[in-house]
């Protein structure tokens, strides 16, 4: 199967999932991933991270993801370059897909992405200001009949969690979660007595329709009816749903911050003009 970018894909960001087999037991998956990530193939290529997979006889391979931001690096080029590394026995691209089709759970790497010094230094004052106004740690949980929901929430607030998305399997669970949130001083929009956000989402038909709009639906939707997989599928869809909601909230915060900065700049400019008028008088 030809996994190389088609002419239609050139100029668009794509991701490739590549299996890297260590040449011997002396090299770890982290070693081969790091060697591949240090290849100077193209400034267009970004290595996003890796997971590991057991292949038998106590051996593990690195399953890495590389993003070609402009679609300039093909699967063949990536395979050939990685296969030439002394620490790699074999390299094989097993998936190639447009970035807009990436499931958020493909981003849950065991190792953080490698970023260049330029990328690390790119944090602007605007990002820092936004970070200060945004919860640092959030939790997503799918639950039914939780034995000590109050204790669970109180503990995680105490250790620093500032946002909770609770997906309640039944209306009874949803009502209990809301009541516990009120008791602990949490609120639906953040800034409550505990300074934490609590959002309770019933697992109902409305949510199921929203699941269908998620990138992960094609993977997890069919598993909702499979015995032994349904719970995992609901958990994954709920987590992606929460991330989507948080993404929209962050965008709204960013826009609000930009508007405040524009108003402040305009006000400062107006004050400066007023002082100039007074000086001329």
């Amino acid at each position: 199967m030809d996994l190389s970018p088609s002419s239609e894909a050139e100029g668009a960001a794509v991701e490739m999932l590549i299996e890297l087999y260590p040449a011997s037991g002396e090299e770890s998956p982290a070693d081969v991933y790091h060697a591949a990530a240090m290849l100077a193939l193209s400034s267009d290529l970004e290595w996003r991270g890796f997971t590991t997979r057991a292949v038998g006889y106590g051996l593990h391979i690195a399953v890495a993801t590389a993003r070609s931001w402009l679609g300039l690096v093909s699967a063949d080029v990536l395979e050939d370059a990685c296969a030439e590394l002394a620490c790699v026995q074999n390299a094989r691209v097993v998936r190639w897909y447009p970035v807009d089709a990436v499931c958020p759970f493909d981003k849950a790497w065991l190792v953080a992405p490698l970023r260049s010094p330029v990328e690390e230094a790119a944090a602007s004052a605007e990002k820092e200001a936004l970070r200060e106004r945004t919860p640092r740690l959030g939790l997503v949980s799918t639950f039914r009949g939780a034995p000590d929901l109050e204790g669970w929430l109180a503990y995680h607030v105490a250790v620093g969690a500032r946002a909770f998305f609770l997906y309640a399997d039944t209306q009874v669970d949803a009502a209990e979660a809301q009541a516990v949130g009120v008791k602990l001083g949490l609120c639906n929009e953040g800034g409550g007595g505990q300074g934490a956000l609590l959002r309770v989402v019933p697992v109902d038909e409305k949510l199921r329709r929203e699941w269908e709009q998620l990138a992960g639906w094609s993977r997890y939707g069919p598993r909702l009816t499979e015995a032994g997989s349904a719970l995992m599928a609901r958990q994954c869809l709920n987590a992606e749903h929460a991330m989507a909601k948080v993404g929209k909230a962050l965008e709204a915060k960013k826009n609000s911050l930009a508007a405040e900065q524009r108003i402040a700049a305009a006000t400062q400019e107006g004050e400066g003009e007023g002082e100039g008028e007074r000086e001329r008088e």
Side-chain angles (χ1 to χ4, degrees), residues 141-226:
S141 179
T142 301
F143 75 103
R144 175 183 296 180
D148 186 14
L149 184 60
E150 180 179 343
W152 184 85
L153 283 169
Y155 169 78
H156 285 96
V157 168
V159 297
R162 288 297 177 266
F164 299 89
F165 281 77
L166 301 184
Y167 288 79
D169 273 350
T170 69
Q171 292 296 330
V172 173
D173 291 317
E176 177 192 358
Q178 292 285 12
V180 170
V182 171
K183 181 177 181 181
L184 293 179
L186 310 180
C187 77
N188 288 330
E189 298 301 330
Q194 295 277 11
L197 161 74
L198 172 66
R199 184 160 296 172
V200 180
V201 184
V203 179
D204 53 18
E205 288 304 316
K206 178 178 180 295
L207 177 63
R208 291 177 186 275
R209 288 193 297 270
E210 293 179 1
W211 282 347
E212 295 176 7
Q213 307 304 314
L214 301 175
W217 175 255
S218 60
R219 175 182 299 183
Y220 300 109
R223 297 185 179 275
L224 290 172
T225 57
E226 293 181 7

Side-chain angles (χ1 to χ4, degrees), residues 57-105:
Y57 302 101
L59 299 177
H60 291 76
I61 66 172
V63 183
T65 293
R67 173 175 293 186
S68 179
W69 284 99
L70 297 176
L72 301 179
V73 180
S74 70
D76 289 339
V77 169
L78 187 63
E79 283 184 349
D80 292 344
C82 291
E84 290 178 0
L85 292 169
C87 62
V88 175
Q89 180 188 62
N90 186 36
R92 184 167 65 101
V93 172
V94 294
R95 284 186 63 197
W96 178 95
Y97 42 86
V99 168
D100 59 9
V102 175
C103 175
F105 299 101

Side-chain angles (χ1 to χ4, degrees), residues 214-262:
L214 301 175
W217 175 255
S218 60
R219 175 182 299 183
Y220 300 109
R223 297 185 179 275
L224 290 172
T225 57
E226 293 181 7
S229 299
L231 177 58
M232 177 275 296
R234 287 191 292 109
Q235 290 172 331
C236 291
L237 289 168
N238 288 341
E240 183 181 351
H241 182 267
M243 286 190 285
K245 294 295 185 184
V246 169
K248 291 180 180 178
L250 287 174
E251 186 64 25
K253 280 180 176 287
K254 180 179 178 180
N255 292 338
S256 176
L257 178 60
E260 290 177 9
Q261 291 174 336
R262 288 194 297 270

